[in-house]
Amino acid sequence: MQIFLKSRHPEAALMRETVDRRVRFVLRRLSEQVPRADIHLVDVNGPRGGIDKRCQIELRMAGAGPVVVSAVAKDWRAALDGALARAARHVLRAWRRAATPRRPRQRLPEIES
């Protein structure tokens, strides 16, 4: 799995190793389904503080379109964990949908009058 971290904030750039470990840990079972992950860390309102750290994750899934989830929190780690939880839930749901066989739609018998 390829993991790309994009951020202009100096504190977020220092989290490169943590982001890599967390993404690999959370998506370890689903790594065949997700060959690429783009993580964007943004400080929404700059140095003013508050709940403004946003983590946006874009997953490129094999055989499906991209999945984009985001989370906002007070610190980078909480935003990353929230977005990873949503992303893992979405990928797992898509994988289960693809794995379960669909029943063919049955037609009702036509009534002759």
Side-chain angles (χ1 to χ4, degrees), residues 87-109:
R89 195 168 42 242
H90 185 80
V91 171
L92 187 60
R93 190 177 330 133
W95 178 71
R96 283 184 180 156
R97 260 190 227 136
T100 57
R102 299 283 182 197
R103 271 188 2 204
R105 202 169 178 185
Q106 294 182 354
R107 292 184 147 189
L108 294 174

Side-chain angles (χ1 to χ4, degrees), residues 9-105:
H9 199 277
E11 286 180 26
L14 296 175
M15 290 192 54
R16 184 171 302 280
E17 217 174 285
T18 304
V19 168
D20 189 61
R21 275 188 291 123
R22 290 298 301 154
V23 170
R24 288 188 193 284
F25 179 77
V26 170
L27 298 176
R28 68 189 177 279
R29 295 181 300 157
L30 304 167
S31 62
E32 291 179 12
Q33 302 295 319
V34 184
R36 178 180 172 150
D38 293 327
I39 293 92
H40 302 272
L41 296 175
V42 179
D43 191 355
V44 178
N45 66 359
R48 289 182 285 190
I51 301 175
D52 65 339
K53 308 290 194 265
R54 181 171 29 133
C55 176
Q56 180 175 344
I57 299 176
E58 181 179 354
L59 301 175
R60 306 291 171 108
M61 294 179 54
V67 174
V68 179
V69 295
S70 65
V72 178
K74 190 169 179 84
D75 63 346
W76 298 110
R77 179 68 187 256
L80 176 66
D81 287 343
L84 280 172
R86 286 182 180 174
R89 195 168 42 242
H90 185 80
V91 171
L92 187 60
R93 190 177 330 133
W95 178 71
R96 283 184 180 156
R97 260 190 227 136
T100 57
R102 299 283 182 197
R103 271 188 2 204
R105 202 169 178 185

